[in-house]
Structures are given as structure tokens and as C-alpha cells.
């Protein structure tokens, strides 16, 4: 099938796209009041619809910036709201939408696209690769004693009004140093978070951490009271500037009464939560999963934007969806540029996305057959080339 027409939707069509997306996720559509709060996440010009004789598929994006290894920020399309009517799936509708969307990103000078996938098998074919991973962990509160050497942190301030949180948290986030793979949270991101928070059954609370130079971290959480004494705290969002604010936030979370366990989900793999405690097993990692799926839309600019280590290598990149990206690139500490030289490494654009952030050791991908190198020594050089000082994590769900 391919007489599907894909086009940007008008603003008066956004609600239909939202209803289609929610139905695809088996979620009730928002009420009129909820829609008024959430409609701002729909950025005009960035909402696509696929039609036969009616709307049958949709995807949207918002403009943001991605921090790449080395600290440079590049234009990012944060992709979400992807859905196809259940009676029109597996006929190429998503394929038409994705191709249209990626071509539009390339035409507009977007360097990378990022999304969170409902299922792992969907997006690799469009050149998205797992750029970051997260872990879910559960802290057994009564067993978790902070080690004596844990930084003391500053003051925390409790905020219980959602309106006040919605005013203040964006200012705190904007002050934080963003690590590689983190993204900016524009004014179209926050209404989505607060729409989710307003739908929570229980009370939502936040704490802002104040360090020597002002607000430098925050955590948002709810507590589900189980039958009996204790409850389960769910940490819904937590960001921090440094080790002191991180420790200060955890010190607070552990102090909240009527809580037996703290579920901290979607956390960075290198966050030191277990080693804060005298008994590291007070923190149980329950799951490690793919987080952000990254698509390098402009490979040349993406390679030039990040920092590299060691000796240069020539990468031959394959990209069947955006063929202008295909070709050879010499990449090294002095930068990246196109070349005709013989390749040291061959990979497709999805595998390139996986190593681009530093989230995967390239030699792991060589072993999995995703990256081809001439010999083991080249794999070692590739590991060194992409090495980053921290494990990438996005931490902003959309
Ligand atoms: C995921 C979804 C958007 C796919 O739409 P679609 O129109 O069926 O996708 P396409 O027909 O273009 O599929 C393209 C290819 O991807 C495969 N594919 C699509 N969705 C898949 C899935 N969920 N699991 C495995 N493979 C999938 C198709 O089989 C097809 O493979 P082929 O080219 O080898 O035949 C649709 O199934 C949907 O709306 N799902 C529920 C909501 C959802 O999960 N949205 C994504 C949020 S991140």
C-alpha cells in the first residue's frame, strides 16, 4: 500500500492527532480541561498526519538541543506522539511518516533526532540506534544508611503546589550543567510533564536543593501508601548539578516518613546511588533498558560537533533512508570531514548513533556484527576514539 498522503497538520487538527496517538497507546483521550493544559506541547509545523480518506497515522516533534560529547549543543528534533490507527497498521503508514519526517528534519538543518520507543523493534530500520540506556532501581529505605564520606549537601525546600512547581522547576533545570546526551527542556516540554503529574492519583511533591550558588537540583515524587505502615515512593524526575546536590537530594528522600522503598526509575547507569550506602545492596537494580533512540540526521555536522580521542580513523557510513549521509568520514581529535581514503570501519547510521554518544563500547558492537573493522587493533582504536568521561544519559522523557 502506498497511496497514503503525509502532511503537516493544521492547529485545528492537533486534537485529532492526539486522540489517535492516545488510542494507539490504549489511553483514554484527554478531557477538554486536560487538553487545554497539554495542547502547548504540539508545536505548529511539527505535527504530521498520514491520510487515506481520513487521518490514520501521526508523529510529531519539538525543537530542542542535544548536548554532544565535548559539550557542544546541536539542533535536535525530539520525536514523539507516534501512532497508527490499529485498523491500519503493518501497511507502511509509519514508514511513510518517518521518511517524511526525517527528510523534513534534514531540509531544516536538524542535526539529530531523538525518541523514546514503545517497543524495541520499531525504529532501527529508520536509522535510530540506542544512544542511551537507563536503569530502574529500588532503594530499601530502612536498610539504606549513607556512608560517612557522602557529601553533606545544602538545604532542601519542599514545594507541594503543582502550579508553583511548574513555575520554578524549569528555572532550576535551565541552571544545571547538562551532560552529554542530555537535552534542553523548552516551554513545550514542561506542560507534558505537568499534565502527567496532574493525572497522578496521589499527592505530588517536589524538593528544590539549594547549594552555595543557589538552586542546583530538584526531585519530584509521589508516595503510594500500601496497606500497613510503609509506602512506596516513586521518584518521577530528579536532576542535579554535582555530587553535593545529588547527595543532598538522596539524603532528603531517605528522610521522608511512611516510606519503605524508593523506586528511582529511568536513572543514568553511572549514577552512584548504590555506593552512597554502607550496604550497597540497599539499592536493587531491577531493570536496565534502552532510553533515548538517536538518529543522526546530518552525519557530517554531528561528527564535527563532538570531541574524539586517540588517533583518527576513517568511518564508512551507510544510510539508506537519508542517502546524502552515506560516505566516508575521517574522524579524530582534530575534527571530522569527508574523505575518499580507504575505510578502517564500516557501519550503518544506526550503529553510528549507538557509538556516537559513548553509550556503547564499539568493540561490543563489533562482536555483535553491527560494526565491521579490519582487525582487532582497529576495534581497540575505535574504542579509544569514542571514549567519553561519563556514561551518557538523557533523563528527559517525552
Ligand atoms: C508502531 C506503529 C506506529 C507502527 O506503525 P505501522 O504503520 O504498522 O508500521 P509500518 O507498517 O510502516 O512498519 C514498518 C516495518 O516495521 C515493522 N514494525 C512496525 N511496528 C512494529 C512493532 N511494533 N514490532 C515489530 N515490528 C514492527 C513492520 O512489520 C514493518 O516491517 P517490514 O518492513 O519488514 O514489513 C503502530 O503499530 C502503532 O501505532 N503502535 C501502537 C503505538 C505505538 O507503539 N507507537 C509508538 C510510540 S514510540
Amino acid at each position: 500500500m502506498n497511496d497514503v498522503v503525509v502532511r503537516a497538520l493544521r492547529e485545528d487538527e492537533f486534537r485529532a492527532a492526539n486522540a489517535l496517538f492516545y488510542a494507539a497507546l490504549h489511553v483514554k483521550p484527554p478531557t477538554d480541561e486536560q487538553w487545554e493544559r497539554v495542547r502547548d506541547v504540539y508545536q505548529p509545523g511539527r505535527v504530521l498526519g498520514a491520510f487515506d480518506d481520513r487521518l490514520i497515522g501521526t508523529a510529531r516533534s519539538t525543537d530542542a538541543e542535544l548536548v554532544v560529547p565535548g559539550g557542544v549543543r546541536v539542533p535536535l528534533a525530539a520525536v514523539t506522539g507516534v501512532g497508527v490507527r490499529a485498523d491500519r497498521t503493518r501497511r507502511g503508514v509509519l514508514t511513510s511518516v518517518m521518511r517524511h519526517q526525517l527528510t523534513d528534519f534534514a531540509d531544516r538543518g536538524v542535526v539529530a533526532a531523538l525518541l523514546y520507543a514503545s517497543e524495541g523493534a520499531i525504529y532501527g530500520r529508520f536509522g535510530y540506534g540506542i544512544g542511551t540506556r537507563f536503569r530502574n532501581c529500588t532503594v530499601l529505605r530502612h536498610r539504606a544508611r549513607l556512608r560517612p564520606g557522602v557529601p553533606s549537601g545544602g538545604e532542601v525546600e519542599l514545594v507541594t503546589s503543582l502550579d508553583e512547581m511548574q513555575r520554578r522547576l524549569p528555572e532550576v533545570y535551565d541552571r544545571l550543567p547538562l551532560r552529554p546526551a542530555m537535552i534542553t527542556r523548552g516551554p513545550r516540554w514542561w506542560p507534558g510533564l505537568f499534565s502527567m503529574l496532574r493525572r497522578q492519583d496521589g499527592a505530588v511533591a517536589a524538593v528544590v536543593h539549594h547549594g552555595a550558588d543557589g538552586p542546583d537540583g530538584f526531585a519530584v515524587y509521589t508516595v503510594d501508601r500500601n496497606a500497613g505502615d510503609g509506602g512506596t515512593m516513586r521518584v518521577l524526575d530528579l536532576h542535579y548539578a554535582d555530587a553535593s546536590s545529588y547527595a543532598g537530594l538522596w539524603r532528603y528522600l531517605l528522610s521522608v516518613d511512611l516510606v519503605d522503598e524508593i523506586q528511582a526509575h529511568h536513572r543514568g547507569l553511572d549514577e552512584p546511588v548504590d555506593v552512597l550506602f554502607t550496604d550497597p545492596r540497599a539499592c536493587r537494580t531491577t531493570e536496565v533498558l534502552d532510553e533515548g533512540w538517536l538518529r543522526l540526521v546530518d552525519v557530517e555536522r554531528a561528527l564535527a560537533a563532538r570531541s574524539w580521542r586517540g588517533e583518527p580513523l576513517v568511518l564508512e557510513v551507510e544510510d539508506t533512508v537519508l542517502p546524502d549521509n552515506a560516505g566516508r568520514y575521517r574522524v579524530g581529535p582534530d575534527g571530522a570531514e569527508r574523505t575518499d581514503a580507504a575505510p578502517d570501519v564500516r557501519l550503518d547510521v544506526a550503529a553510528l548513533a549507538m557509538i556516537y554518544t559513548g553509550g556503547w563500547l564499539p568493540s561490543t558492537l563489533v562482536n555483535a556484527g553491527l560494526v565491521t573493522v579490519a582487525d582487532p587493533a582497529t576495534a581497540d582504536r575505535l574504542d579509544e576514539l569514542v571514549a567519553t568521561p561519563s556514561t551518557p544519559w538523557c533523563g528527559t522523557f517525552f
Side-chain angles (χ1 to χ4, degrees), residues 85-146:
R85 274 179 65 116
D87 57 0
R88 290 291 181 275
T89 54
R90 305 305 179 269
R91 300 160 192 221
V93 177
L94 176 68
T95 304
S96 301
V97 172
M98 284 281 119
R99 285 181 175 272
H100 186 107
Q101 191 181 50
L102 286 167
T103 304
D104 174 55
F105 294 161
D107 290 347
R108 286 195 289 104
V110 170
V111 171
L114 188 73
L115 57 77
Y116 284 69
S118 60
E119 295 186 89
I122 302 174
Y123 294 103
R125 74 194 68 236
F126 306 115
Y128 285 87
I130 301 170
T132 57
R133 286 174 288 171
F134 66 72
R135 74 164 161 162
N136 291 340
C137 53
T138 298
V139 172
L140 307 176
R141 175 172 168 251
H142 297 294
R143 212 165 138 178
R145 302 257 173 279
L146 292 175

Side-chain angles (χ1 to χ4, degrees), residues 132-177:
T132 57
R133 286 174 288 171
F134 66 72
R135 74 164 161 162
N136 291 340
C137 53
T138 298
V139 172
L140 307 176
R141 175 172 168 251
H142 297 294
R143 212 165 138 178
R145 302 257 173 279
L146 292 175
R147 282 186 306 93
V150 169
S152 56
E155 291 293 327
V156 289
E157 177 198 359
L158 181 64
V159 181
T160 54
S161 143
L162 281 164
D163 288 340
E164 188 181 347
M165 279 178 225
Q166 191 155 5
R167 241 185 357 263
R168 292 186 54 196
L169 297 189
E171 291 168 13
V172 182
Y173 186 84
D174 287 345
R175 288 170 54 95
L176 300 178

